[in-house]
Amino acid sequence: MMSKIKEFLKAQLSAFAGGMVDYGIMLFCKEILGFAISTSIVISGSIGAVVNFTINRFWTFKKDEAPVASQLWKFIIVVIGSIILKSQGTPLLSTLTGIDYKITRLMVELVVSLGFNFTLQKYWVFKKADRQETV
């Protein structure tokens, strides 16, 4: 039980690190470069995903012995889904609530991170091999 809690906490630290990179780049793209919020999230989410993948592979789930290609294509699918949810959900929630995008982005990020990213990364991308599986 403690190992599952530890793994979950490590995944959240990894998501936080990737999320900080993601959020900072989003602000830079939107506020400095003047990109639309959805475009900013696509760019920042892609860069944040690289940070998150690297930390998860080598530290959180310790799956660096597995071929990177087998993890990477799955991770890319998860990232695409995550970016779609965040880039569409953030402006939608801002429009519906009247809350600034900087706040709704954090709200959407929390839901996507816990409900979508963590679940798919743990049980699909970085899945531990079953004993019955053959290589």
Side-chain angles (χ1 to χ4, degrees):
M1 179 64 143
M2 285 305 289
S3 65
K4 290 184 185 239
I5 293 170
K6 185 178 176 183
E7 184 179 68
F8 176 77
L9 292 174
K10 287 170 86 172
Q12 296 319 301
L13 284 172
S14 173
F16 182 75
M20 291 299 294
V21 169
D22 183 346
Y23 193 78
I25 292 171
M26 177 201 67
L27 289 175
F28 178 77
C29 289
K30 172 76 172 119
E31 300 296 326
I32 306 299
L33 300 179
F35 294 165
I37 186 62
S38 295
T39 303
S40 298
I41 292 172
V42 169
I43 293 167
S44 66
S46 300
I47 296 168
V50 173
V51 172
N52 185 252
F53 178 82
T54 303
I55 294 171
N56 280 339
R57 178 174 163 79
F58 293 100
W59 183 66
T60 306
F61 300 109
K62 296 181 180 168
K63 296 299 290 178
D64 55 321
E65 77 285 348
V68 71
S70 69
Q71 295 170 341
L72 195 55
W73 74 266
K74 293 175 187 176
F75 189 81
I76 289 169
I77 291 170
V78 173
V79 167
I80 290 169
S82 178
I83 288 172
I84 289 169
L85 290 170
K86 290 186 270 187
S87 66
Q88 300 305 303
T90 299
L92 177 64
L93 190 57
S94 288
T95 300
L96 292 175
T97 64
I99 299 172
D100 186 83
Y101 80 92
K102 294 176 199 98
I103 305 297
T104 60
R105 169 62 197 276
L106 295 173
M107 295 163 66
V108 170
E109 181 72 40
L110 182 64
V111 171
V112 171
S113 177
L114 293 173
F116 185 81
N117 294 346
F118 174 74
T119 304
L120 288 174
Q121 287 182 35
K122 177 174 175 57
Y123 297 106
W124 188 49
V125 177
F126 299 107
K127 178 183 174 188
K128 292 183 179 15
D130 293 335
R131 291 185 181 176
Q132 289 85 10
E133 284 185 22
T134 57
V135 179

